[in-house]
Amino acid sequence: MRLEYFQMVDHIADLDLGERRITVTSRVPQQSTVFEGHFPGHPLMPGVLLIETMAQTSGWLIIALLKFERMPFLASVKEAKMRDFIKPGEPLTVESRIVHDGSGFAVTEAKISVDGKVKCNADLTFRHTPFPNADLRGHMEQMARQIGFPEQAKL
Amino acid sequence: MSSTFDQVATIIAETCDIPRDTITPESHAIDDLGIDSLDFLDIAFAIDKAFGIKLPLEKWTQEVNDGKATTEQYFVLKNLSARIDELVAAKSA
């Protein structure tokens, strides 16, 4: 996880297109300027960044289901619950599943666990469109290689 | 009054917090009820679930953008209800 680059996913651990679900892992960095402000003397992963982590996890699942032809963009967040603190250095397991596959949009349920305990969850809606330009698609393909996106999921 | 319209009107009322009695078959979802594209995603989600279909929103939007259809054809509720009935019929055919 590189907060300064908004790179919230370290590794795709499991991608099941049949079941339309994904599991990724990511470790919260031990040090970040984010923690200097959130909060001094009591560093915590901000809730908005946890939502972003769930959104990016869902996003990789949607990209896989759409054969890397379209890009999802977060449209709404519902029922977001921050159930417990997440601290610097903690290893996250992030799971997402497709609840609905609509025309030009998708709905997911996502959650983040630490050592088997659910720390937060949310229902997320995404619009998806063809990649707006080659640069973004190229960047996403590079990211996909970094996090272990299965090549066969592009076919 | 079609049961499809009643279901759609109820979905819109509940999803967008619009008084049910202000929603009529002649209501235009965008122009009269003020439903924006994000709210319409929630409505489409609920309609898809309720009727077991997939509203072809992208196709409709493209047709409107290309001048091949008007928004009234898809977003006046009596017309939307008719499109839903067609999709349900096509699914079960």
Side-chain angles (χ1 to χ4, degrees), chain B residues 5-51:
Chain B
F5 166 74
D6 285 332
Q7 289 184 70
V8 170
T10 300
I11 285 170
I12 290 173
E14 291 176 352
T15 303
C16 299
D17 201 18
I18 295 172
R20 171 65 182 83
D21 58 6
T22 65
I23 303 171
T24 74
E26 304 300 326
S27 299
H28 190 301
I30 302 164
D31 297 342
D32 297 328
L33 302 178
I35 297 168
D36 67 15
S37 63
L38 181 57
D39 283 336
F40 207 84
L41 289 188
D42 286 336
I43 292 167
F45 177 25
I47 288 174
D48 286 359
K49 275 201 306 184
F51 293 94

Side-chain angles (χ1 to χ4, degrees), chain A residues 1 8-14 22-28 53 57 90-95 113 147:
Chain A
M1 182 178 284
M8 314 307 284
V9 171
D10 287 346
H11 179 68
I12 294 177
D14 186 45
I22 190 172
T23 302
V24 313
T25 57
S26 199
R27 183 175 291 276
V28 178
T53 302
T57 300
E90 290 199 304
L92 310 183
T93 299
V94 193
E95 298 166 86
S113 305
I147 65 172

Side-chain angles (χ1 to χ4, degrees), chain A residues 68-86:
Chain A
F68 231 99
E69 293 295 330
R70 296 170 70 93
M71 178 73 187
F73 296 95
L74 183 61
S76 81
V77 179
K78 292 177 184 165
E79 298 292 326
K81 294 187 169 74
M82 306 302 130
R83 299 176 182 278
D84 199 358
F85 294 151
I86 292 181

Side-chain angles (χ1 to χ4, degrees), chain A residues 94-147:
Chain A
V94 193
E95 298 166 86
S96 174
R97 72 178 188 91
I98 298 287
V99 174
H100 185 65
D101 172 27
S103 171
F105 73 99
V107 182
T108 69
E109 286 179 352
K111 63 182 177 182
I112 297 177
S113 305
V114 176
D115 296 331
K117 183 181 177 191
V118 176
K119 298 281 188 164
C120 61
N121 61 283
D123 299 339
L124 308 172
T125 301
F126 298 80
R127 287 191 179 95
H128 53 73
T129 67
F131 279 98
N133 57 55
D135 284 350
L136 178 57
R137 180 171 180 150
H139 169 77
M140 295 305 292
E141 287 183 341
Q142 182 184 352
M143 285 293 306
R145 286 191 290 275
Q146 287 179 19
I147 65 172

Side-chain angles (χ1 to χ4, degrees), chain A residues 39-52:
Chain A
F39 294 98
H42 189 58
L44 298 174
M45 187 66 172
V48 290
L49 294 182
L50 295 171
I51 290 171
E52 177 64 20

